[in-house]
Amino acid sequence: MRRLSRPSLPFAFVLVFSVAFSAAQAQELVEIPALTRQVTDLTGTLSAQDVQRLEAKLSQFETAKGSQIAVLILPSTKPEAIEQFGIRLAETWQIGRKKIDDGAILIVAKQDRSLRIETGYGIEGALPDAICKRIIDEQIVPRFKADDFAGGIEAGLDAMIARINGEDLPAPVRTPRGQSSGFEKKMSGWIGPGIVVLIILGNVLSTMFSRLTSGIVMGVLGFVAGLIIASLTVGAIMGVVAMFATWIFGGRSGGGSGWSGWSGGSSSGWSSGGSSWSSGGGSSWGGGGGSFGGGGSSGSW
């Protein structure tokens, strides 16, 4: 019987390396969390008051300057280094304005005792790697070592904001993406019910006037109502919807058949649509499409 030869040393080395590499690759990467606010704390490190204070600071900065800064506190970035995770996070969140690329992210991996400032292309002049390193070492790390995480994050953000404020960036032209005033947030819940009321009113008017006249009247009323409730865009949408809905579903020859045909489906159909529209009214916060290229710096405590 022919005897099998033993594998050579180089072959054995390659085999062991391949197995080890495959095992490392098999480890799942940390999932990128959804971006809904400026401060995302997945560890419960910050109190509700801390988060509120920091987000108020970042919102005020974004309104005045246009630049966006986000904070993420998570347990760990392993098996990735925080630099690799930071790039994935930046590409997903897209903090900062599109084509201006003036976003920054402060990442804290608490269990790893590591942190990083990730900077967009547009503010690498204001926050070069060396300055980011100084902010980490001089403002954040000493407070982290004293278990003052809220103070360290706030001090780091203050230093970042001061640097970005000194940069010549395009002025903001509108309310930051994904945000609205408190009044708009309260009134956005009336959009769906408002459309339903307009359609009902349009149906009544169509039994009294011609389709054309009632549709035009309802279009104007819908525009005015939407303008009062939310914005010019919402007003235009509500006006068009009210006008066409009046023409389509308005009373036919005396009003009886048209209204009875619509009443069977009006409650479920439009109430669900209104609710969906309202829920998308803009209470969450998001990135503006900014790009990153790996600028920034990392540190540990």
Short mmCIF file of all heavy atoms in Angstrom, two decimals, residues 10-35:
data_model
loop_
_atom_site.label_atom_id
_atom_site.label_comp_id
_atom_site.label_asym_id
_atom_site.label_seq_id
_atom_site.Cartn_x
_atom_site.Cartn_y
_atom_site.Cartn_z
N PRO A 10 5.46 24.69 4.81
CA PRO A 10 4.78 25.87 4.25
C PRO A 10 3.29 25.62 4.03
O PRO A 10 2.46 26.50 4.28
CB PRO A 10 5.50 26.09 2.92
CG PRO A 10 6.84 25.47 3.10
CD PRO A 10 6.60 24.27 3.99
N PHE A 11 2.95 24.41 3.57
CA PHE A 11 1.54 24.11 3.35
C PHE A 11 0.76 24.14 4.67
O PHE A 11 -0.35 24.67 4.75
CB PHE A 11 1.40 22.73 2.70
CG PHE A 11 -0.02 22.29 2.52
CD1 PHE A 11 -0.79 22.79 1.48
CD2 PHE A 11 -0.61 21.42 3.42
CE1 PHE A 11 -2.11 22.40 1.33
CE2 PHE A 11 -1.93 21.03 3.28
CZ PHE A 11 -2.68 21.52 2.22
N ALA A 12 1.36 23.58 5.72
CA ALA A 12 0.70 23.58 7.03
C ALA A 12 0.51 25.01 7.54
O ALA A 12 -0.53 25.36 8.12
CB ALA A 12 1.53 22.77 8.03
N PHE A 13 1.51 25.86 7.30
CA PHE A 13 1.42 27.25 7.74
C PHE A 13 0.29 27.97 7.02
O PHE A 13 -0.51 28.69 7.63
CB PHE A 13 2.75 27.96 7.46
CG PHE A 13 2.72 29.44 7.78
CD1 PHE A 13 2.82 29.88 9.09
CD2 PHE A 13 2.56 30.37 6.76
CE1 PHE A 13 2.79 31.24 9.38
CE2 PHE A 13 2.52 31.72 7.04
CZ PHE A 13 2.63 32.16 8.35
N VAL A 14 0.20 27.75 5.70
CA VAL A 14 -0.86 28.39 4.92
C VAL A 14 -2.24 27.90 5.38
O VAL A 14 -3.19 28.67 5.50
CB VAL A 14 -0.67 28.10 3.42
CG1 VAL A 14 -1.90 28.56 2.63
CG2 VAL A 14 0.58 28.78 2.92
N LEU A 15 -2.32 26.60 5.70
CA LEU A 15 -3.59 26.04 6.15
C LEU A 15 -4.03 26.66 7.46
O LEU A 15 -5.19 27.06 7.64
CB LEU A 15 -3.45 24.52 6.30
CG LEU A 15 -4.72 23.77 6.75
CD1 LEU A 15 -5.82 23.95 5.71
CD2 LEU A 15 -4.40 22.30 6.95
N VAL A 16 -3.10 26.76 8.43
CA VAL A 16 -3.42 27.34 9.73
C VAL A 16 -3.81 28.81 9.58
O VAL A 16 -4.77 29.30 10.18
CB VAL A 16 -2.22 27.19 10.69
CG1 VAL A 16 -2.47 27.99 11.97
CG2 VAL A 16 -1.99 25.73 11.02
N PHE A 17 -3.08 29.53 8.75
CA PHE A 17 -3.37 30.95 8.54
C PHE A 17 -4.75 31.14 7.92
O PHE A 17 -5.51 32.03 8.31
CB PHE A 17 -2.30 31.58 7.63
CG PHE A 17 -2.54 33.03 7.32
CD1 PHE A 17 -2.21 34.02 8.23
CD2 PHE A 17 -3.13 33.39 6.11
CE1 PHE A 17 -2.46 35.35 7.94
CE2 PHE A 17 -3.37 34.72 5.82
CZ PHE A 17 -3.03 35.70 6.73
N SER A 18 -5.09 30.29 6.96
CA SER A 18 -6.38 30.39 6.28
C SER A 18 -7.53 30.14 7.25
O SER A 18 -8.55 30.83 7.23
CB SER A 18 -6.45 29.39 5.13
OG SER A 18 -5.45 29.66 4.17
N VAL A 19 -7.35 29.13 8.13
CA VAL A 19 -8.38 28.83 9.11
C VAL A 19 -8.56 30.00 10.08
O VAL A 19 -9.68 30.40 10.40
CB VAL A 19 -8.05 27.53 9.88
CG1 VAL A 19 -9.01 27.34 11.05
CG2 VAL A 19 -8.09 26.34 8.94
N ALA A 20 -7.43 30.55 10.53
CA ALA A 20 -7.51 31.68 11.46
C ALA A 20 -8.14 32.89 10.81
O ALA A 20 -8.96 33.59 11.42
CB ALA A 20 -6.10 32.02 11.97
N PHE A 21 -7.79 33.13 9.54
CA PHE A 21 -8.34 34.29 8.83
C PHE A 21 -9.84 34.11 8.63
O PHE A 21 -10.62 35.05 8.80
CB PHE A 21 -7.65 34.45 7.48
CG PHE A 21 -8.14 35.62 6.68
CD1 PHE A 21 -7.75 36.92 7.00
CD2 PHE A 21 -9.01 35.43 5.61
CE1 PHE A 21 -8.23 37.99 6.26
CE2 PHE A 21 -9.48 36.50 4.88
CZ PHE A 21 -9.08 37.79 5.20
N SER A 22 -10.24 32.91 8.27
CA SER A 22 -11.67 32.64 8.06
C SER A 22 -12.45 32.81 9.36
O SER A 22 -13.57 33.33 9.36
CB SER A 22 -11.87 31.22 7.53
OG SER A 22 -11.22 31.06 6.29
N ALA A 23 -11.87 32.39 10.47
CA ALA A 23 -12.54 32.55 11.76
C ALA A 23 -12.71 34.02 12.11
O ALA A 23 -13.75 34.44 12.64
CB ALA A 23 -11.75 31.83 12.86
N ALA A 24 -11.68 34.81 11.81
CA ALA A 24 -11.76 36.24 12.09
C ALA A 24 -12.83 36.91 11.22
O ALA A 24 -13.59 37.77 11.67
CB ALA A 24 -10.41 36.91 11.86
N GLN A 25 -12.88 36.47 9.95
CA GLN A 25 -13.85 37.05 9.04
C GLN A 25 -15.28 36.68 9.44
O GLN A 25 -16.23 37.39 9.14
CB GLN A 25 -13.59 36.57 7.61
CG GLN A 25 -12.34 37.17 6.98
CD GLN A 25 -12.49 38.65 6.73
OE1 GLN A 25 -12.05 39.47 7.53
NE2 GLN A 25 -13.15 39.01 5.65
N ALA A 26 -15.40 35.53 10.10
CA ALA A 26 -16.73 35.04 10.47
C ALA A 26 -17.37 35.87 11.58
O ALA A 26 -18.57 35.83 11.78
CB ALA A 26 -16.66 33.58 10.91
N GLN A 27 -16.55 36.62 12.33
CA GLN A 27 -17.09 37.46 13.38
C GLN A 27 -17.95 38.56 12.76
O GLN A 27 -17.53 39.24 11.84
CB GLN A 27 -15.96 38.09 14.20
CG GLN A 27 -15.11 37.09 14.96
CD GLN A 27 -14.09 37.82 15.82
OE1 GLN A 27 -14.44 38.68 16.61
NE2 GLN A 27 -12.83 37.48 15.64
N GLU A 28 -19.12 38.72 13.27
CA GLU A 28 -20.02 39.71 12.72
C GLU A 28 -19.58 41.11 13.12
O GLU A 28 -19.20 41.36 14.26
CB GLU A 28 -21.44 39.46 13.20
CG GLU A 28 -22.05 38.19 12.64
CD GLU A 28 -23.52 38.05 13.02
OE1 GLU A 28 -24.04 38.99 13.66
OE2 GLU A 28 -24.11 37.02 12.69
N LEU A 29 -19.67 42.02 12.16
CA LEU A 29 -19.35 43.40 12.43
C LEU A 29 -20.50 44.04 13.22
O LEU A 29 -21.64 43.64 13.12
CB LEU A 29 -19.13 44.17 11.13
CG LEU A 29 -18.00 43.66 10.22
CD1 LEU A 29 -17.91 44.53 8.98
CD2 LEU A 29 -16.67 43.65 10.96
N VAL A 30 -20.15 45.06 13.99
CA VAL A 30 -21.16 45.79 14.76
C VAL A 30 -22.11 46.48 13.79
O VAL A 30 -21.69 47.15 12.84
CB VAL A 30 -20.49 46.83 15.68
CG1 VAL A 30 -21.55 47.68 16.37
CG2 VAL A 30 -19.61 46.13 16.70
N GLU A 31 -23.39 46.30 14.01
CA GLU A 31 -24.39 46.92 13.14
C GLU A 31 -24.42 48.42 13.35
O GLU A 31 -24.36 48.92 14.48
CB GLU A 31 -25.77 46.32 13.45
CG GLU A 31 -26.86 46.84 12.54
CD GLU A 31 -28.21 46.20 12.85
OE1 GLU A 31 -28.26 45.30 13.71
OE2 GLU A 31 -29.21 46.61 12.22
N ILE A 32 -24.51 49.15 12.25
CA ILE A 32 -24.60 50.61 12.33
C ILE A 32 -26.00 50.98 12.82
O ILE A 32 -27.01 50.60 12.21
CB ILE A 32 -24.35 51.26 10.96
CG1 ILE A 32 -22.96 50.89 10.43
CG2 ILE A 32 -24.51 52.77 11.06
CD1 ILE A 32 -21.82 51.37 11.27
N PRO A 33 -26.11 51.71 13.92
CA PRO A 33 -27.45 52.06 14.43
C PRO A 33 -28.13 53.09 13.54
O PRO A 33 -27.47 53.84 12.81
CB PRO A 33 -27.14 52.65 15.82
CG PRO A 33 -25.75 53.17 15.71
CD PRO A 33 -25.03 52.24 14.78
N ALA A 34 -29.44 53.12 13.59
CA ALA A 34 -30.21 54.11 12.83
C ALA A 34 -29.92 55.50 13.38
O ALA A 34 -29.74 55.69 14.58
CB ALA A 34 -31.70 53.80 12.91
N LEU A 35 -29.87 56.46 12.48
CA LEU A 35 -29.64 57.84 12.87
C LEU A 35 -30.98 58.57 12.97
O LEU A 35 -31.65 58.80 11.97
CB LEU A 35 -28.74 58.54 11.85
CG LEU A 35 -28.45 60.02 12.10
CD1 LEU A 35 -27.68 60.21 13.39
CD2 LEU A 35 -27.70 60.63 10.93
#
